[in-house]
Amino acid sequence: LESPAILQQFLTHHHLSPQQFATISGMPLTEVRGLLDGNLDITIMRAHHLAAVFETSPELWLRHYSTAP
């Protein structure tokens, strides 16, 4: 899966909008949208935000976003 697609899948599976995710995670909405649009790279901090909300490992996010074309 392409990186933005996996994030969208997780949002959909957890019934979260980008706005709700931003509020829960503490990430700015512009960053969430940037990740969804493929305009932002993953950082360790962003990976930790994603992992905390979705109960995954930061490595999952780093791996998916680092292999994006």
Side-chain angles (χ1 to χ4, degrees):
L1 279 176
E2 193 176 323
S3 307
I6 192 169
L7 177 53
Q8 186 59 59
Q9 252 190 3
F10 270 82
L11 289 173
T12 300
H13 178 77
H14 291 274
H15 307 288
L16 293 173
S17 69
Q19 295 85 352
Q20 290 168 319
F21 176 80
T23 300
I24 293 166
S25 70
M27 286 177 66
L29 181 56
T30 54
E31 284 187 28
V32 176
R33 288 198 172 132
L35 289 171
L36 285 167
D37 294 340
N39 297 327
L40 277 183
D41 291 328
I42 195 74
T43 62
I44 291 172
M45 183 64 76
R46 290 177 185 143
H48 279 276
H49 283 289
L50 292 162
V53 172
F54 295 126
E55 298 180 347
T56 62
S57 70
E59 290 78 17
L60 175 120
W61 300 100
L62 290 166
R63 185 172 53 251
H64 275 283
Y65 274 81
S66 67
T67 60

Coordinates of all heavy atoms in Angstrom, one line a residue:
L1 N 0.8 -1.2 0.0 CA 0.0 0.0 0.0 C 0.9 1.2 0.0 O 1.9 1.3 0.7 CB -0.9 0.1 1.3 CG -2.1 -0.8 1.3 CD1 -2.8 -0.6 2.7 CD2 -3.1 -0.4 0.2
E2 N 0.4 2.2 -0.7 CA 1.1 3.5 -0.7 C 0.9 4.2 0.7 O -0.1 4.0 1.3 CB 0.5 4.4 -1.8 CG 1.3 5.6 -2.1 CD 0.7 6.4 -3.2 OE1 0.3 5.8 -4.2 OE2 0.8 7.6 -3.2
S3 N 1.8 4.9 1.1 CA 1.8 5.5 2.5 C 0.5 6.2 2.8 O -0.1 5.9 3.8 CB 3.0 6.4 2.7 OG 4.2 5.7 2.4
P4 N 0.1 7.2 2.0 CA -1.1 7.9 2.4 C -2.3 6.9 2.4 O -3.3 7.1 3.2 CB -1.3 8.9 1.3 CG 0.1 9.2 0.8 CD 0.8 7.9 0.9
A5 N -2.3 5.9 1.6 CA -3.4 4.9 1.6 C -3.5 4.2 2.9 O -4.6 3.9 3.4 CB -3.3 4.0 0.4
I6 N -2.4 3.8 3.5 CA -2.4 3.1 4.8 C -3.0 4.0 5.9 O -3.7 3.6 6.7 CB -1.1 2.5 5.2 CG1 -1.3 1.5 6.3 CG2 0.0 3.5 5.5 CD1 -0.1 0.6 6.6
L7 N -2.6 5.3 5.9 CA -3.1 6.2 6.9 C -4.6 6.3 6.7 O -5.4 6.3 7.7 CB -2.4 7.5 6.8 CG -2.9 8.6 7.8 CD1 -3.0 8.1 9.2 CD2 -2.1 9.9 7.7
Q8 N -5.1 6.5 5.5 CA -6.5 6.6 5.2 C -7.2 5.4 5.7 O -8.3 5.4 6.2 CB -6.8 6.9 3.8 CG -8.2 7.2 3.5 CD -8.8 8.4 4.3 OE1 -8.3 9.5 4.2 NE2 -9.8 8.1 5.1
Q9 N -6.6 4.2 5.4 CA -7.2 2.9 5.9 C -7.4 2.9 7.4 O -8.4 2.5 7.9 CB -6.4 1.8 5.4 CG -6.9 1.0 4.3 CD -6.1 -0.3 4.1 OE1 -5.2 -0.7 4.8 NE2 -6.5 -1.1 3.1
F10 N -6.4 3.3 8.1 CA -6.4 3.3 9.6 C -7.5 4.3 10.0 O -8.2 4.0 11.0 CB -5.1 3.7 10.2 CG -4.2 2.5 10.5 CD1 -3.5 1.9 9.5 CD2 -4.2 1.9 11.7 CE1 -2.7 0.8 9.7 CE2 -3.4 0.8 12.0 CZ -2.6 0.2 11.0
L11 N -7.6 5.5 9.4 CA -8.6 6.5 9.8 C -10.0 5.9 9.6 O -10.8 6.0 10.5 CB -8.4 7.8 9.0 CG -7.2 8.6 9.4 CD1 -7.1 9.8 8.4 CD2 -7.3 9.2 10.8
T12 N -10.2 5.3 8.4 CA -11.5 4.7 8.1 C -11.8 3.6 9.1 O -13.0 3.5 9.6 CB -11.5 4.2 6.7 OG1 -11.2 5.3 5.8 CG2 -12.8 3.6 6.3
H13 N -10.9 2.7 9.3 CA -11.1 1.6 10.2 C -11.5 2.0 11.6 O -12.3 1.4 12.3 CB -9.9 0.7 10.3 CG -10.0 -0.5 11.2 ND1 -10.8 -1.6 10.9 CD2 -9.6 -0.7 12.4 CE1 -10.7 -2.5 11.9 NE2 -10.0 -1.9 12.8
H14 N -10.9 3.1 12.1 CA -11.2 3.6 13.4 C -12.3 4.7 13.4 O -12.5 5.3 14.5 CB -9.9 4.2 14.0 CG -8.9 3.1 14.4 ND1 -8.9 2.4 15.5 CD2 -7.9 2.6 13.6 CE1 -7.9 1.5 15.5 NE2 -7.3 1.6 14.4
H15 N -12.9 4.9 12.3 CA -14.0 5.9 12.2 C -13.6 7.3 12.6 O -14.3 7.9 13.4 CB -15.2 5.4 12.9 CG -15.7 4.0 12.6 ND1 -16.3 3.7 11.4 CD2 -15.6 2.9 13.3 CE1 -16.5 2.4 11.4 NE2 -16.1 1.9 12.5
L16 N -12.4 7.7 12.1 CA -11.9 9.0 12.5 C -11.7 9.9 11.2 O -11.3 9.4 10.2 CB -10.5 8.9 13.1 CG -10.4 8.2 14.5 CD1 -9.0 8.0 14.9 CD2 -11.1 9.1 15.5
S17 N -12.1 11.1 11.4 CA -11.8 12.1 10.3 C -10.4 12.6 10.6 O -9.8 12.5 11.7 CB -12.8 13.2 10.4 OG -12.6 14.0 11.6
P18 N -9.8 13.3 9.6 CA -8.5 13.9 9.8 C -8.5 14.9 11.0 O -7.6 15.0 11.8 CB -8.2 14.6 8.5 CG -8.9 13.7 7.5 CD -10.2 13.3 8.2
Q19 N -9.6 15.6 11.1 CA -9.8 16.6 12.2 C -9.8 15.9 13.5 O -9.2 16.4 14.5 CB -11.1 17.4 12.0 CG -11.1 18.3 10.8 CD -11.5 17.6 9.5 OE1 -11.7 16.4 9.4 NE2 -11.7 18.4 8.4
Q20 N -10.6 14.8 13.6 CA -10.6 14.1 14.9 C -9.3 13.5 15.2 O -8.8 13.5 16.4 CB -11.6 12.9 14.8 CG -13.1 13.4 14.7 CD -14.0 12.3 14.4 OE1 -13.8 11.5 13.5 NE2 -15.2 12.3 15.0
F21 N -8.6 12.9 14.2 CA -7.2 12.4 14.5 C -6.3 13.5 15.0 O -5.5 13.3 15.9 CB -6.7 11.7 13.2 CG -5.3 11.2 13.5 CD1 -5.1 10.0 14.1 CD2 -4.2 12.0 13.1 CE1 -3.8 9.6 14.4 CE2 -2.9 11.5 13.3 CZ -2.7 10.3 14.0
A22 N -6.3 14.6 14.3 CA -5.5 15.8 14.7 C -5.7 16.1 16.2 O -4.8 16.3 17.0 CB -5.7 17.0 13.8
T23 N -7.0 16.2 16.6 CA -7.3 16.5 18.0 C -6.8 15.5 18.9 O -6.2 15.8 20.0 CB -8.8 16.7 18.1 OG1 -9.3 17.7 17.2 CG2 -9.2 17.0 19.5
I24 N -7.0 14.2 18.6 CA -6.6 13.1 19.5 C -5.1 13.0 19.6 O -4.6 12.8 20.7 CB -7.2 11.8 19.0 CG1 -8.8 11.8 19.2 CG2 -6.6 10.6 19.8 CD1 -9.4 10.7 18.4
S25 N -4.5 13.1 18.5 CA -3.0 12.9 18.4 C -2.2 14.1 18.9 O -1.0 13.9 19.3 CB -2.6 12.5 17.0 OG -2.7 13.6 16.1
G26 N -2.8 15.3 18.8 CA -2.0 16.5 19.1 C -1.2 17.0 17.9 O -0.5 18.0 18.0
M27 N -1.4 16.3 16.7 CA -0.7 16.8 15.5 C -1.5 17.9 14.9 O -2.8 17.9 14.9 CB -0.6 15.6 14.5 CG 0.4 14.6 14.8 SD 0.4 13.2 13.6 CE 1.0 14.1 12.1
P28 N -0.9 18.9 14.3 CA -1.6 19.9 13.6 C -2.4 19.3 12.4 O -1.9 18.4 11.8 CB -0.6 20.9 13.1 CG 0.6 20.6 14.0 CD 0.6 19.2 14.4
L29 N -3.6 19.8 12.2 CA -4.4 19.3 11.0 C -3.6 19.4 9.7 O -3.7 18.6 8.9 CB -5.7 20.0 11.0 CG -6.7 19.6 9.9 CD1 -7.0 18.1 9.9 CD2 -8.0 20.4 9.9
T30 N -2.8 20.5 9.6 CA -2.1 20.7 8.3 C -1.1 19.5 8.1 O -0.8 19.1 7.0 CB -1.3 22.0 8.3 OG1 -0.5 22.1 9.5 CG2 -2.3 23.2 8.2
E31 N -0.5 19.0 9.2 CA 0.4 17.9 9.1 C -0.3 16.6 8.7 O 0.1 15.8 7.9 CB 1.2 17.6 10.4 CG 2.3 18.6 10.6 CD 3.2 18.3 11.8 OE1 3.3 17.1 12.2 OE2 3.7 19.2 12.4
V32 N -1.5 16.4 9.4 CA -2.3 15.2 9.0 C -2.7 15.2 7.6 O -2.5 14.2 6.9 CB -3.5 15.1 9.9 CG1 -4.4 13.9 9.5 CG2 -3.1 15.0 11.4
R33 N -3.1 16.4 7.1 CA -3.5 16.5 5.7 C -2.3 16.3 4.8 O -2.4 15.7 3.7 CB -4.2 17.8 5.4 CG -5.6 17.8 6.0 CD -6.4 18.9 5.4 NE -7.8 18.7 5.9 CZ -8.6 19.7 6.4 NH1 -8.1 20.9 6.5 NH2 -9.8 19.5 6.8
G34 N -1.1 16.8 5.2 CA 0.1 16.7 4.4 C 0.5 15.2 4.3 O 0.9 14.8 3.2
L35 N 0.3 14.5 5.4 CA 0.6 13.0 5.3 C -0.4 12.3 4.4 O 0.0 11.5 3.6 CB 0.6 12.4 6.7 CG 1.7 12.8 7.6 CD1 1.4 12.3 9.0 CD2 3.1 12.2 7.1
L36 N -1.6 12.7 4.5 CA -2.7 12.0 3.7 C -2.5 12.4 2.2 O -2.7 11.5 1.3 CB -4.1 12.5 4.1 CG -4.6 11.8 5.4 CD1 -5.8 12.6 5.9 CD2 -4.9 10.4 5.2
D37 N -2.0 13.6 1.9 CA -1.8 14.0 0.5 C -0.5 13.5 -0.1 O -0.2 13.7 -1.2 CB -1.9 15.5 0.4 CG -3.2 16.1 0.7 OD1 -4.2 15.4 0.7 OD2 -3.3 17.3 1.1
G38 N 0.4 13.0 0.8 CA 1.7 12.5 0.4 C 2.7 13.7 0.2 O 3.7 13.5 -0.4
N39 N 2.3 14.8 0.8 CA 3.2 16.0 0.7 C 4.2 16.2 1.8 O 5.1 17.0 1.8 CB 2.4 17.3 0.6 CG 1.5 17.3 -0.7 OD1 1.9 16.8 -1.7 ND2 0.3 17.9 -0.6
L40 N 4.0 15.4 2.9 CA 4.9 15.4 4.0 C 5.6 14.1 4.2 O 4.9 13.0 4.1 CB 4.1 15.8 5.3 CG 3.8 17.2 5.6 CD1 3.1 17.4 6.9 CD2 5.1 18.1 5.6
D41 N 6.8 14.1 4.6 CA 7.5 12.9 5.0 C 7.2 12.6 6.4 O 6.9 13.4 7.2 CB 9.0 13.1 4.9 CG 9.5 13.3 3.4 OD1 8.8 12.6 2.5 OD2 10.4 14.0 3.2
I42 N 7.4 11.3 6.7 CA 7.2 10.8 8.1 C 8.5 11.3 8.9 O 9.6 11.3 8.4 CB 7.0 9.3 8.2 CG1 6.4 8.9 9.6 CG2 8.2 8.5 7.8 CD1 5.0 9.3 9.8
T43 N 8.3 11.6 10.1 CA 9.4 11.9 11.1 C 9.2 10.9 12.2 O 8.1 10.3 12.4 CB 9.3 13.3 11.6 OG1 8.1 13.5 12.3 CG2 9.4 14.3 10.4
I44 N 10.2 10.8 13.1 CA 10.1 10.0 14.2 C 8.9 10.5 15.1 O 8.1 9.7 15.6 CB 11.4 9.9 15.0 CG1 12.4 9.1 14.1 CG2 11.2 9.2 16.4 CD1 13.8 9.1 14.7
M45 N 8.8 11.8 15.3 CA 7.7 12.3 16.1 C 6.3 12.0 15.5 O 5.4 11.6 16.2 CB 7.9 13.8 16.3 CG 6.8 14.5 17.2 SD 6.9 13.9 18.9 CE 8.3 14.8 19.4
R46 N 6.2 12.2 14.2 CA 4.9 11.9 13.6 C 4.6 10.4 13.7 O 3.4 10.0 13.9 CB 4.9 12.3 12.1 CG 4.9 13.8 11.9 CD 5.0 14.2 10.5 NE 5.1 15.6 10.4 CZ 5.8 16.3 9.5 NH1 6.5 15.6 8.6 NH2 5.9 17.6 9.5
A47 N 5.6 9.5 13.5 CA 5.4 8.1 13.6 C 4.9 7.7 15.1 O 4.1 6.9 15.2 CB 6.7 7.3 13.3
H48 N 5.5 8.4 16.1 CA 5.0 8.2 17.4 C 3.6 8.6 17.7 O 2.8 7.9 18.4 CB 6.0 8.8 18.4 CG 7.2 8.0 18.7 ND1 7.3 7.0 19.6 CD2 8.4 8.0 18.1 CE1 8.5 6.4 19.6 NE2 9.2 7.1 18.7
H49 N 3.2 9.7 17.1 CA 1.8 10.2 17.2 C 0.9 9.1 16.6 O -0.2 8.8 17.2 CB 1.6 11.5 16.5 CG 2.1 12.7 17.3 ND1 1.5 13.2 18.4 CD2 3.2 13.5 17.0 CE1 2.2 14.2 18.8 NE2 3.2 14.4 18.0
L50 N 1.2 8.7 15.4 CA 0.4 7.7 14.7 C 0.3 6.4 15.5 O -0.8 5.8 15.7 CB 0.9 7.4 13.3 CG 0.8 8.6 12.3 CD1 1.8 8.4 11.1 CD2 -0.6 8.7 11.8
A51 N 1.4 6.0 16.0 CA 1.5 4.7 16.7 C 0.7 4.8 18.0 O 0.0 3.8 18.4 CB 3.0 4.4 17.0
A52 N 0.7 5.9 18.7 CA 0.0 6.1 19.9 C -1.5 6.0 19.7 O -2.2 5.3 20.5 CB 0.4 7.4 20.6
V53 N -2.0 6.7 18.7 CA -3.4 6.7 18.5 C -3.9 5.3 18.0 O -5.0 4.8 18.4 CB -3.8 7.8 17.5 CG1 -5.3 7.7 17.1 CG2 -3.5 9.2 18.1
F54 N -3.2 4.7 17.0 CA -3.6 3.5 16.4 C -3.1 2.2 17.1 O -3.4 1.1 16.6 CB -3.2 3.5 14.9 CG -3.9 4.5 14.1 CD1 -3.2 5.4 13.4 CD2 -5.3 4.7 14.1 CE1 -3.8 6.4 12.6 CE2 -5.9 5.7 13.4 CZ -5.2 6.5 12.6
E55 N -2.4 2.4 18.2 CA -1.8 1.2 19.0 C -1.0 0.3 18.1 O -1.2 -0.9 18.0 CB -3.0 0.5 19.7 CG -3.7 1.4 20.7 CD -4.8 0.7 21.4 OE1 -5.2 -0.5 21.0 OE2 -5.3 1.2 22.4
T56 N -0.1 0.9 17.4 CA 0.9 0.2 16.5 C 2.3 0.6 17.0 O 2.4 1.3 18.0 CB 0.7 0.6 15.0 OG1 1.0 2.0 14.9 CG2 -0.7 0.3 14.5
S57 N 3.2 0.2 16.3 CA 4.6 0.6 16.6 C 5.0 1.8 15.7 O 4.5 1.8 14.5 CB 5.6 -0.6 16.3 OG 5.7 -0.8 15.0
P58 N 5.8 2.6 16.1 CA 6.3 3.7 15.3 C 7.0 3.1 14.0 O 7.0 3.7 12.9 CB 7.3 4.5 16.1 CG 6.9 4.2 17.5 CD 6.4 2.8 17.5
E59 N 7.7 2.0 14.2 CA 8.4 1.4 13.1 C 7.4 1.1 11.9 O 7.8 1.1 10.7 CB 9.1 0.1 13.5 CG 10.3 0.4 14.4 CD 9.9 0.7 15.9 OE1 8.7 0.4 16.3 OE2 10.7 1.3 16.6
L60 N 6.2 0.7 12.2 CA 5.2 0.4 11.1 C 5.1 1.6 10.2 O 5.2 1.5 9.0 CB 3.9 0.0 11.7 CG 2.8 -0.2 10.6 CD1 2.3 -1.6 10.7 CD2 1.7 0.8 10.8
W61 N 5.0 2.8 10.8 CA 4.8 4.0 10.0 C 6.1 4.4 9.3 O 6.0 4.8 8.2 CB 4.2 5.1 10.9 CG 2.9 4.7 11.5 CD1 2.7 4.1 12.8 CD2 1.7 4.6 10.8 NE1 1.4 3.8 12.9 CE2 0.7 4.1 11.7 CE3 1.2 5.0 9.6 CZ2 -0.6 3.9 11.4 CZ3 -0.1 4.8 9.2 CH2 -1.0 4.3 10.1
L62 N 7.2 4.3 10.0 CA 8.5 4.7 9.4 C 8.7 3.8 8.2 O 9.2 4.2 7.2 CB 9.6 4.6 10.5 CG 9.5 5.6 11.6 CD1 10.5 5.2 12.7 CD2 9.9 7.0 11.0
R63 N 8.4 2.5 8.4 CA 8.7 1.6 7.3 C 7.8 1.9 6.1 O 8.3 1.9 4.9 CB 8.4 0.1 7.8 CG 8.7 -0.9 6.8 CD 8.6 -2.4 7.3 NE 7.4 -2.6 8.0 CZ 7.2 -2.8 9.3 NH1 8.2 -2.7 10.1 NH2 6.0 -3.1 9.8
H64 N 6.5 2.1 6.3 CA 5.6 2.4 5.2 C 5.9 3.7 4.5 O 5.9 3.8 3.3 CB 4.1 2.4 5.6 CG 3.6 1.0 5.6 ND1 3.2 0.4 4.5 CD2 3.3 0.2 6.6 CE1 2.7 -0.8 4.8 NE2 2.8 -1.0 6.1
Y65 N 6.2 4.7 5.3 CA 6.5 6.0 4.7 C 7.9 6.1 4.1 O 8.1 6.9 3.1 CB 6.3 7.2 5.7 CG 4.8 7.6 5.7 CD1 3.9 6.9 6.4 CD2 4.4 8.7 5.0 CE1 2.5 7.3 6.4 CE2 3.0 9.1 5.0 CZ 2.1 8.4 5.7 OH 0.8 8.7 5.7
S66 N 8.8 5.3 4.6 CA 10.2 5.4 4.0 C 10.3 4.7 2.7 O 11.2 4.9 1.9 CB 11.2 4.9 5.0 OG 11.0 3.5 5.2
T67 N 9.4 3.8 2.4 CA 9.4 3.0 1.2 C 8.5 3.6 0.1 O 8.3 3.0 -0.9 CB 9.0 1.5 1.4 OG1 7.7 1.5 1.9 CG2 10.0 0.9 2.3
A68 N 7.9 4.8 0.4 CA 7.0 5.4 -0.5 C 7.8 5.9 -1.8 O 8.9 6.3 -1.6 CB 6.3 6.6 0.1
P69 N 7.2 5.8 -2.9 CA 7.9 6.2 -4.1 C 8.0 7.7 -4.2 O 7.3 8.5 -3.6 CB 6.9 5.8 -5.3 CG 5.7 5.3 -4.7 CD 5.9 5.2 -3.2

